[in-house]
Amino acid sequence: MKANRICNFNAGPAALPLAVLEEIQGSLLDYKGTGMSVMEMSHRSKEFDAIINDAISRTRRLLQLDERFHVIFVQGGASLQFSMIPMNLLADGRSADYVNTGTWAANAIKEARMLNKTVSVVASSEDRQFTYIPRDIAFNPDAVYVHLTSNNTIRGTQWAAFPETQGVPIVADMSSDIMSRPFDAGRFGLIYAGAQKNIGPAGVCMVIIRDDMLKRVPANLPAMLKYTTYTSKNSLYNTPPSFAIYTVQLVLKWLEETVGGLGRMEALNRQKAAVVYRGIDDSGGFYRGTAEPGSRSLMNLTFRLPSEELEKRFLEEALKAGLGGLKGHRSVGGCRASLYNAVPLEAVEALAGFMQAFARKNG
Ligand code: PMP
């Protein structure tokens, strides 16, 4: 039976590739002849070993990670990483640079300070409501790392290119744009991403960590809060969120085998974002993009209508037309279309068509 699915523009948890959901459905009762679901099997089984190892090798291939990098799966969302990063990497007496580009970056700064760590906020876009990505930043050459948020889910801004940090490793929250485009991972000391936007369901956070950063991990941390616990046990020290990891594995397989890798994914993501931004820019001012054009995100496209009343009507009529998840984050209001990897071009074209018709009727 064909399910009645909407065009899903949710910001996270968000759309998953239909083929992945169908594969999960097909193996839900009997995974590869085991007579059970992945949910029901031991995380120490050979089947689950194959799943987690495949997820890791696909991540390594997709991001072209060299042997210095470890791929681990941690619970607690991206938010736990805000604390684990300074706890593991930032020794007392040392400092780290942070760039404040909005709520999630600010939370990362707050959590590091909560631990009495020395944090230097080297740039911020708060002066213009986080509508842009700061440029020409003077980083501290003796910082342990530079923390940035590659894509700002709430404000709809994204780093088009990563800054030159004079050899200081970048630590990046890529929760809302991981695997959406290729980039040179070599300059990164740590990359983390809650899975629930671009690579899977909620419940697991992917962390990619470089060998030299692991050397900074102090011995006296609780096991579950220590990166080396995960790297030394292949994320199997305790029971991992196995079904979430299985879903991530299938999404990565889809990315490699169906989409054809991150270059192809980026081209498609650019095409999708262009369709909606063009609709915004050609609307004669009916729709107003909230991010400055040079900082616009390809993942979360944020925009306003002439009034809050029209925004409310826009969201209601969109939903009736089968277009869901377009409400902006509760902290900023307005509208937001999240065009993550799994959102197909056809859904984006349907949205652009709806936007045009709505503007004609109400403009
Ligand atoms: N960072 C970014 C960029 C996010 O978009 C989010 C969630 N929207 C978070 C961190 C927090 O993630 P989690 O809910 O997995 O803790």
Side-chain angles (χ1 to χ4, degrees):
M1 196 180 79
K2 192 159 170 17
N4 187 22
R5 291 177 55 80
I6 63 164
C7 296
N8 185 348
F9 301 102
N10 276 322
L16 285 165
L18 183 58
V20 166
L21 294 176
E22 285 170 344
E23 184 162 352
I24 289 171
Q25 187 177 42
S27 65
L28 194 63
L29 304 184
D30 179 8
Y31 179 75
K32 293 194 172 168
T34 56
M36 58 187 153
S37 163
V38 173
M39 265 186 269
E40 303 171 293
M41 70 178 50
S42 168
H43 57 293
R44 313 256 173 231
S45 61
K46 68 176 187 335
E47 286 82 10
F48 188 73
D49 242 5
I51 289 170
I52 193 166
N53 289 333
D54 188 61
I56 293 168
S57 16
R58 289 186 189 278
T59 301
R60 306 185 75 88
R61 283 198 297 271
L62 283 160
L63 296 177
Q64 297 184 8
L65 303 175
D66 62 45
E67 64 291 340
R68 292 173 301 165
F69 289 93
H70 305 258
V71 180
I72 59 174
F73 296 98
V74 186
Q75 297 189 54
S79 296
L80 183 62
Q81 295 309 306
F82 298 160
S83 338
M84 274 181 77
I85 288 162
M87 228 181 250
N88 280 266
L89 308 183
L90 195 50
D92 292 343
R94 299 295 308 272
S95 86
D97 286 354
Y98 278 69
V99 183
N100 183 10
T101 50
T103 305
W104 304 115
N107 281 2
I109 293 164
K110 194 170 102 194
E111 294 289 294
R113 288 191 167 146
M114 184 83 78
L115 294 161
N116 285 322
K117 301 291 182 179
T118 310
V119 161
S120 174
V121 179
V122 288
S124 165
S125 50
E126 195 169 8
D127 57 343
R128 295 203 298 276
Q129 284 86 46
F130 301 112
T131 52
Y132 70 101
I133 297 292
R135 279 172 234 285
D136 304 324
I137 303 168
F139 294 102
N140 292 305
D142 55 353
V144 173
Y145 59 81
V146 170
H147 181 280
L148 56 84
T149 314
S150 57
N151 182 75
N152 297 282
T153 325
I154 297 177
R155 300 285 178 168
T157 62
Q158 185 176 28
W159 294 78
F162 294 108
E164 185 41 63
T165 55
Q166 305 172 50
V168 177
I170 300 176
V171 167
D173 176 357
M174 293 199 181
S175 291
S176 49
D177 68 353
I178 191 155
M179 303 284 178
S180 69
R181 56 179 175 177
F183 62 92
D184 173 14
R187 294 201 289 131
F188 289 75
L190 188 148
I191 293 164
Y192 63 105
Q196 67 270 20
K197 297 159 198 304
N198 247 342
I199 52 172
V204 67
C205 183
M206 177 184 275
V207 180
I208 298 164
I209 183 165
R210 212 171 60 191
D211 266 339
D212 55 308
M213 304 306 275
L214 283 180
K215 297 204 180 84
R216 300 186 174 279
V217 177
N220 60 342
L221 282 180
M224 290 302 289
L225 297 177
K226 191 153 71 172
Y227 288 127
T228 44
T229 303
Y230 296 81
T231 54
S232 64
K233 304 279 189 204
N234 203 29
S235 302
L236 293 166
Y237 166 75
N238 76 327
T239 317
S242 48
F243 199 75
I245 293 171
Y246 165 55
T247 310
V248 169
Q249 183 234 337
L250 294 181
V251 171
L252 299 177
K253 180 169 146 227
W254 169 83
L255 260 174
E256 268 199 303
E257 295 176 9
T258 306
V259 176
L262 297 193
R264 299 272 283 278
M265 195 67 253
E266 179 181 20
L268 182 58
N269 285 332
R270 285 191 179 283
Q271 192 185 355
K272 282 153 45 182
V275 168
V276 174
Y277 281 130
R278 204 179 308 122
I280 291 172
D281 295 339
D282 291 351
S283 69
F286 184 81
Y287 299 107
R288 185 173 48 82
T290 61
E292 293 185 8
S295 301
R296 281 176 162 180
S297 169
L298 301 179
M299 296 281 101
N300 309 101
L301 288 65
T302 50
F303 54 96
R304 306 293 315 226
L305 274 67
S307 69
E308 286 189 16
E309 194 196 317
L310 276 172
E311 284 170 351
K312 192 161 164 277
R313 200 183 315 154
F314 174 86
L315 295 171
E316 283 164 8
E317 290 187 18
L319 194 57
K320 279 193 203 130
L323 311 166
L326 291 164
K327 197 170 177 356
H329 191 267
R330 62 191 184 281
S331 63
V332 295
C335 302
R336 168 175 58 178
S338 297
L339 310 185
Y340 297 127
N341 288 351
V343 176
L345 181 61
E346 302 77 67
V348 178
E349 282 167 345
L351 171 63
F354 172 82
M355 286 174 71
Q356 200 179 25
F358 187 87
R360 213 180 295 127
K361 203 164 64 180
N362 297 282

